[in-house]
Amino acid sequence: MKLTKKSHACIRLEKDGRRLVIDPGTFSEEDAAVGAEAILVTHEHLDHFNEERLRTAMESDPGAEIWTLASVAEKISAAFPGRVHTVGHGDTFTAAGFDVQVHGELHAVIHPDIPRITNVGYLIDGGKVFHPGDALTVPDHPVETLMLPVMAPWNKISEVIDYVREVKPRRAYDIHDALLTDLARPIYDHQIGALGGAEHMRLAPGASADV
């Protein structure tokens, strides 16, 4: 499986000539979802869900489909009848040849005064890759490659490190990093790598790795 990092929280997975994209939001490239047969969205926040990017991908490929939770599906399903699928925790499905399990229900706490919204994570091909969205969800399944939200208004580095320790992946790749400055990156790289207990790596937007 080929993993390509797009900007911020978006990734593209390719296998057997087929493509799946997760979270092509406002901080990702305008064409981040174009060419994907399947698009998965973890929640409604703009850095993960951008209606224009989804419409562009869906209109460019009449066979493309979206899987997401109800709060996102209700915003775009009317435009693409039968091509937007609503999922929740515990669901399983196949998209673009990838087996997908849905894990998690709620977005991480930003502040006690801010109501929590729904959020789901996607476990791909039996644990090859796990993308948690905006939550520190621990799936009840071994994970080889964890997409790690390293910097967000809702987390701190100690929580990120403990999350890697709890999931126990073989490797962790950074996502949710658009707000992380180049000045801070070496600090995050060192602390997560030294304390997380797993191989910690990051890819520049557009770079790829085999997982």
Side-chain angles (χ1 to χ4, degrees), residues 69-200:
L69 35 65
S71 60
V72 172
E74 66 186 14
K75 300 177 188 297
I76 198 168
S77 59
F80 303 100
R83 297 170 62 191
V84 180
H85 312 282
T86 301
V87 298
H89 177 69
D91 288 341
T92 61
F93 57 93
T94 300
F98 294 87
D99 294 327
V100 184
Q101 299 176 18
V102 184
H103 293 266
E105 299 179 87
L106 290 173
H107 191 287
V109 174
I110 301 171
H111 186 276
D113 290 353
I114 300 176
R116 295 175 74 181
I117 62 170
T118 51
N119 175 97
V120 295
Y122 297 107
L123 188 74
I124 310 297
D125 279 359
K128 285 284 187 182
V129 174
F130 181 58
H131 189 307
D134 274 9
L136 301 179
T137 302
V138 179
D140 56 355
H141 196 289
V143 174
E144 292 187 24
T145 301
L146 174 65
M147 306 314 300
L148 181 65
V150 291
M151 196 277 183
W154 48 266
N155 73 17
K156 57 185 179 180
I157 196 167
S158 63
E159 296 171 334
V160 174
I161 292 166
D162 286 345
Y163 182 50
V164 178
R165 289 179 173 182
E166 191 170 3
V167 175
K168 296 181 177 67
R170 292 186 183 177
R171 65 190 72 89
Y173 278 102
D174 288 354
I175 56 168
H176 217 287
D177 56 357
L179 302 180
L180 186 63
T181 69
D182 289 341
L183 187 65
R185 284 187 182 277
I187 300 171
Y188 277 69
D189 290 346
H190 172 71
Q191 293 187 351
I192 297 170
L195 301 174
E199 185 178 13
H200 172 247

Side-chain angles (χ1 to χ4, degrees), residues 43-61:
H43 66 288
E44 66 197 75
H45 283 163
L46 61 82
D47 56 327
H48 298 256
F49 162 62
N50 179 288
E51 185 173 342
E52 183 177 342
R53 282 159 176 61
L54 294 185
R55 286 180 177 272
T56 298
M58 297 288 276
E59 290 167 357
S60 67
D61 180 358

